[in-house]
Structures are given as C-alpha cells and as structure tokens.
Amino acid sequence: MVKKVLALCDKEENYIRRLADYLEKKKMQPFVIRAFTDIGQLKRFLDRGEIELLLIAESSYEEEIRDFPIKHTLILNESGNQAGREVKNINKYQSSENIFQAVMNSYAENEGEITQRMATGNRMKLIGNYSPIGRCMQTTFALSIGQILAKKHKTLYLNFESYSGFGYLLNREFPADITDVLYYFNCEKEKLAYRLEGMIQTLNGLDYVPPVMSYQDLAEIKGQDWIELFREIEKISAYEYLVLDLSDQMKGLFDILRECFRIFTIIKEDGFAEAKMRQYETVIHMMNYEEIALKTKKWMLPEFHRIPDGLEHLTHGEIASYAKKVIEEEIYGCED
C-alpha cells in the first residue's frame, strides 16, 4: 500500500504533539503522520517528497505554501477570521475528534479519485448481540464487550435499536448516523473510507457510528444491504471486530446473524422470556437457519449489584469482569 503523508504544522509544540498522537492512534490508512513545529522543517521535508494533506495553524501559514507540492491544505483557524486565499479553515480550538472528522469530511469532498484502501491482517470478525427478550441488558452487555475489546483491538460498534437513546444518554447531537454511511456506500463508494472516518465517534476507546434517530429509516433497509456494507468496511478499514447490537426492526435479521462469527443471546428465567425464546428457536429451525443456533451462546446474566452510571464506564466493575470472561472463553477461545 502506498503511504500518503498527512502533515501537521504548528509552533505550539504541545498542541501539535497531542493532535499527532491522537491521529496516530486512529490508524489512518493509508496516511502516515508527520508533525512540524516550524515552516522551515516543513519546507525541508518537501525537498524530499510530496504531502497529500497539510493541516497548518493560522499563525504558521504563509501564502507561498500554495506553490508547494501539497495536494490539500487546511488551516487551523485561531483568530475567527478567514485565513488564506480560498483555503478551507477549521476551528483549531475544538476536540481532536472533531478536528479529525472535519479533516476527513473535507478530504472526501475535495478528492475526486480516492484509491480504495485495502485493510491488511486478519479478517474482521462480526460479533452479533441479539435476544428476542426485551429489557435484558443487551446494549449494556454489547458495549462492555466492545469497550474491552477496543483496549487491545481496533473495534467498531453499531447499534440497530429502534430507539437507542444514545444522543440523550451522552447529551450530544450527531450530524450523521448509520444510514448516512449506507448512503455514501451506495452513492460514493470510492470515498467511503474517508466519509466513514468523518462520521465515527469514540466512546472510551470504542469507535461507533451514531444509531438512527427514526426507526422507520432502519425498517426500510434490506438485510443484504447491511451485509454488503459490513464487507466493504472490512475492505477499507483496519477493524478487527465489528460488534453488532441488533434488533427486531431489521429486515433480514437472520441473514445478518448468519454472517456473525459469534452470537450472544441473553435469556431470562421467567415464563414469558422462556416462551419467547422457544418461539425464536422454533422459527430459526422452520426457516432453515440452524447455523445461527450453532453460533449462539445463551447467557443468563448474574445479578449485578451496581450498574455503571454512564455508557463510558463499562470497563470497570462487575459487568466488566463478567464481559472479560466472556471474551476470553467465547471470542478468543473460539478463534482459529
């Protein structure tokens, strides 16, 4: 894979180091990160090669940069006034995550032909979480699994609940959701890698794309469309695990479950829950999806004395200890 240089230039050494560290952790294939604290360093680097994308502080920007062998330039604006003639500005004083998303979205908009990025390494494994029983802590369990896996592996979490409540739980508004990823997959596949990175949010180290706001958007999408999107994400990213938090609203649910490496189904002991589970297993058999049952591990969660207050605190406490055991036995223990 041909590496492209994403260069950072800012006189504030601590700022540029923090931003460079953040971008390095994002594993931005095919970009390699280079950081410079003065324009002289940047010019000397350009004597040896080209820069694909330059992110430069307003206080370091010079108009002569427009003549350098740099394909795309973005200015980290410090004054609040437009800097640079016809050069896009983004606010320097925002989170590294927001800067990253703005950079990727801008790059995708301006790059006409983007070479598809092929991931290297092992195949991305799909981990399905689905139960026909409601109110069973499925999302808490799936997020715990995802956050713990993310400590050692590049992991993406996707939630397909009708009403996930993510925006309210995290007190955030999301500019895009999972249906936007599917839109770009259908309309601008060659730019999907960069569009995806521009939409990804992070929760305690776990990457996720915000869930849908309206269940109607979810119900109209075919299962095969999701499966093809998952396969494309595998091609264009470095994700090792894709954690799916699935719901009954999805068309082709059984086809999606069949694609999973492992399926976790939470059960309960009461009569209503047992009846629902029996019906679910009967339908799987009737529709010739027996392999779903073979990949499924049913769990009756123990009684947890304390549930973490927020979604970002699921790597500590009783739930985390339980999830770590599940990962060791049912994920690592089942891999080839």
Side-chain angles (χ1 to χ4, degrees), residues 154-278:
K154 192 166 175 60
T155 305
L156 178 65
Y157 167 87
L158 299 179
N159 182 295
F160 295 95
E161 292 180 285
S162 299
Y163 299 101
S164 69
F166 258 51
Y168 299 98
L169 288 168
L170 298 171
N171 194 28
R172 296 187 60 179
E173 291 186 3
F174 301 114
D177 63 38
I178 185 63
T179 57
D180 294 293
V181 177
L182 194 61
Y183 168 81
Y184 287 117
F185 170 63
N186 290 325
C187 300
E188 294 184 348
K189 185 184 290 188
E190 73 281 359
K191 299 182 180 181
L192 180 63
Y194 304 99
R195 291 292 189 185
L196 178 63
E197 288 182 335
M199 287 183 269
I200 283 173
Q201 309 287 324
T202 303
L203 181 66
N204 196 21
L206 174 65
D207 286 352
Y208 71 96
V209 178
V212 296
M213 175 59 73
S214 170
Y215 78 92
Q216 291 177 320
D217 295 336
L218 193 64
E220 294 174 357
I221 300 169
K222 297 178 181 178
Q224 190 59 37
D225 293 334
W226 291 122
I227 291 170
E228 290 175 4
L229 174 62
F230 302 157
R231 289 172 180 166
E232 187 67 17
I233 290 173
E234 179 183 32
K235 291 179 183 178
I236 64 173
S237 75
Y239 287 112
E240 297 174 67
Y241 293 101
L242 175 59
V243 179
L244 303 176
D245 195 349
L246 303 166
S247 76
D248 294 319
Q249 289 294 332
M250 302 186 71
K251 287 184 178 179
L253 173 63
F254 288 173
D255 292 322
I256 293 169
L257 287 171
R258 188 163 55 184
E259 292 290 315
C260 293
F261 153 73
R262 210 76 172 103
I263 302 165
F264 297 128
T265 296
I266 299 174
I267 59 176
K268 291 182 178 180
E269 225 167 10
D270 66 87
F272 285 107
E274 290 176 0
K276 289 182 179 182
M277 194 65 206
R278 286 182 62 184

Side-chain angles (χ1 to χ4, degrees), residues 15-32:
Y15 176 90
I16 207 69
R17 185 187 297 117
R18 287 195 303 270
L19 182 57
D21 287 345
Y22 178 86
L23 296 179
E24 287 282 3
K25 290 176 182 177
K26 298 295 286 188
K27 298 180 180 178
M28 298 171 61
Q29 299 180 30
F31 287 113
V32 58

Side-chain angles (χ1 to χ4, degrees), residues 1-257:
M1 180 187 294
V2 178
K3 290 289 186 180
K4 298 179 179 181
V5 175
L6 192 162
L8 311 174
C9 186
D10 193 333
K11 298 172 184 176
E12 294 184 43
E13 187 174 347
N14 289 336
Y15 176 90
I16 207 69
R17 185 187 297 117
R18 287 195 303 270
L19 182 57
D21 287 345
Y22 178 86
L23 296 179
E24 287 282 3
K25 290 176 182 177
K26 298 295 286 188
K27 298 180 180 178
M28 298 171 61
Q29 299 180 30
F31 287 113
V32 58
I33 310 300
R34 293 288 182 266
F36 307 96
T37 53
D38 66 67
I39 198 72
Q41 293 175 342
L42 178 66
K43 291 177 181 178
R44 286 191 292 274
F45 179 86
L46 285 166
D47 289 336
R48 305 191 304 272
E50 295 183 352
I51 290 175
E52 177 75 11
L53 178 58
L54 172 64
L55 191 58
I56 185 169
E58 179 182 357
S59 55
S60 298
Y61 181 77
E62 299 176 1
E63 283 295 330
E64 64 176 308
I65 288 176
R66 294 166 60 89
D67 300 322
F68 293 169
I70 300 172
K71 200 165 186 182
H72 302 280
T73 300
L74 292 172
I75 294 176
L76 289 167
N77 192 281
E78 299 160 318
S79 67
N81 300 315
Q82 173 71 24
R85 291 182 291 114
E86 300 179 357
V87 180
K88 183 168 183 178
N89 286 221
I90 60 175
N91 182 14
K92 175 179 175 177
Y93 303 111
Q94 57 181 323
S95 69
S96 296
E97 180 177 337
N98 287 343
I99 289 175
F100 168 73
Q101 291 171 2
V103 169
M104 288 297 97
N105 285 328
S106 177
Y107 184 69
E109 288 170 2
N110 294 306
E111 181 68 353
E113 293 291 331
I114 298 179
T115 303
Q116 187 181 56
R117 304 184 310 168
M118 299 301 290
T120 59
N122 296 326
R123 183 180 178 186
M124 181 179 74
K125 294 181 172 65
L126 275 62
I127 299 173
N129 293 270
Y130 171 74
S131 175
I133 303 165
R135 301 288 297 174
C136 61
M137 295 184 65
Q138 176 178 303
T139 294
T140 301
F141 179 76
L143 281 170
S144 297
I145 293 287
Q147 288 184 33
I148 292 169
L149 281 172
K151 288 184 176 295
K152 296 182 179 180
H153 311 276
K154 192 166 175 60
T155 305
L156 178 65
Y157 167 87
L158 299 179
N159 182 295
F160 295 95
E161 292 180 285
S162 299
Y163 299 101
S164 69
F166 258 51
Y168 299 98
L169 288 168
L170 298 171
N171 194 28
R172 296 187 60 179
E173 291 186 3
F174 301 114
D177 63 38
I178 185 63
T179 57
D180 294 293
V181 177
L182 194 61
Y183 168 81
Y184 287 117
F185 170 63
N186 290 325
C187 300
E188 294 184 348
K189 185 184 290 188
E190 73 281 359
K191 299 182 180 181
L192 180 63
Y194 304 99
R195 291 292 189 185
L196 178 63
E197 288 182 335
M199 287 183 269
I200 283 173
Q201 309 287 324
T202 303
L203 181 66
N204 196 21
L206 174 65
D207 286 352
Y208 71 96
V209 178
V212 296
M213 175 59 73
S214 170
Y215 78 92
Q216 291 177 320
D217 295 336
L218 193 64
E220 294 174 357
I221 300 169
K222 297 178 181 178
Q224 190 59 37
D225 293 334
W226 291 122
I227 291 170
E228 290 175 4
L229 174 62
F230 302 157
R231 289 172 180 166
E232 187 67 17
I233 290 173
E234 179 183 32
K235 291 179 183 178
I236 64 173
S237 75
Y239 287 112
E240 297 174 67
Y241 293 101
L242 175 59
V243 179
L244 303 176
D245 195 349
L246 303 166
S247 76
D248 294 319
Q249 289 294 332
M250 302 186 71
K251 287 184 178 179
L253 173 63
F254 288 173
D255 292 322
I256 293 169
L257 287 171

